[in-house]
Amino acid sequence: MTSDTRRPFFRPKPWLVACAYYLFNHVVTAIPSYRARAAYLRLVLKYRIAGGAAVHMGCTVTGRKLSIGARSVINRNCRLDGRGGLTIGSDTSISPECCLLSLTHEVHDPAFGAVAKPTSIGDHVWIGARALILPGVTIGDGAVVGAGAVVTRDVPPSAIVAGNPARRIGDRAPGMNYRLAYFPWFDTDEQP
């Protein structure tokens, strides 16, 4: 009867993990290098960041379950919550100051317990500035979320939603197939 009760070679202490997030959110995010930010997210925080993805300056992250698809753009000062699971597809444009959440609290729970609700953003999605995506929402491929919208429910593919709460106001032309490449200098909109 053999039982392997050995501990993993290295399991970081919770305070060390907190330090890694703090370092990204307050130091690395201010480094004017896309490669440095992406390398830190991949190597230190162990996120899946596909090639050509651009995480701009001022973004903050939390949680261990974050995936960003190829050539997606996470613009300045966005908040990405990977505690409950956050998946962002390819060629998706997330405008400045958006907040994408994946963890909430159970309102009727006397202990105010946290509830993970994975959030998923499809391919070729455009999310306008200062939009708020609540936990558990799925945004379909090719959809558009208007600036300042509060998305509380799933958004069908190619739908255009706006408002608080977000409501469908139209449809986007089907067949979006563009490839994003948005790497402006520093925290400006000036491209090389």
Side-chain angles (χ1 to χ4, degrees):
M1 186 165 103
T2 60
S3 162
D4 190 359
T5 58
R6 292 178 291 165
R7 296 173 72 183
F9 175 70
F10 179 72
R11 177 177 285 154
K13 303 277 186 204
W15 67 268
L16 231 126
V17 174
C19 288
Y21 288 114
Y22 178 87
L23 190 59
F24 181 82
N25 292 336
H26 297 281
V27 177
V28 177
T29 193
I31 296 173
S33 166
Y34 292 98
R35 286 185 182 171
R37 291 190 299 274
Y40 189 92
L41 292 170
R42 283 185 191 111
L43 301 174
V44 177
L45 296 180
K46 305 295 184 198
Y47 290 152
R48 288 185 214 144
I49 311 293
V55 177
H56 289 227
M57 294 176 71
C59 291
T60 58
V61 298
T62 191
R64 298 182 184 210
K65 300 174 189 169
L66 175 63
S67 173
I68 302 173
R71 298 170 306 279
S72 283
V73 175
I74 313 301
N75 219 306
R76 299 181 298 275
N77 303 316
C78 286
R79 169 85 171 158
L80 305 177
D81 174 11
R83 294 174 297 168
L86 175 59
T87 303
I88 299 168
S90 298
D91 296 299
T92 287
S93 178
I94 300 176
S95 300
E97 299 181 15
C98 288
C99 185
L100 285 66
L101 302 175
S102 66
L103 193 80
T104 188
H105 292 278
E106 184 56 53
V107 246
H108 300 294
D109 181 358
F112 197 56
V115 179
K117 292 187 174 182
T119 301
S120 178
I121 314 297
D123 298 335
H124 297 101
V125 171
W126 175 20
I127 299 177
R130 292 191 173 177
L132 172 61
I133 312 299
L134 293 181
V137 167
T138 296
I139 298 178
D141 292 346
V144 175
V145 174
V150 178
V151 183
T152 60
R153 294 183 214 167
D154 290 353
V155 176
S158 301
I160 301 172
V161 300
N164 178 5
R167 290 192 170 86
R168 192 174 197 156
I169 60 169
D171 291 296
R172 195 175 191 194
M176 294 292 155
N177 61 6
Y178 52 81
R179 296 170 62 91
L180 295 176
Y182 184 61
F183 296 91
W185 286 329
F186 308 111
D187 61 352
T188 71
D189 291 325
E190 297 300 318
Q191 294 212 56

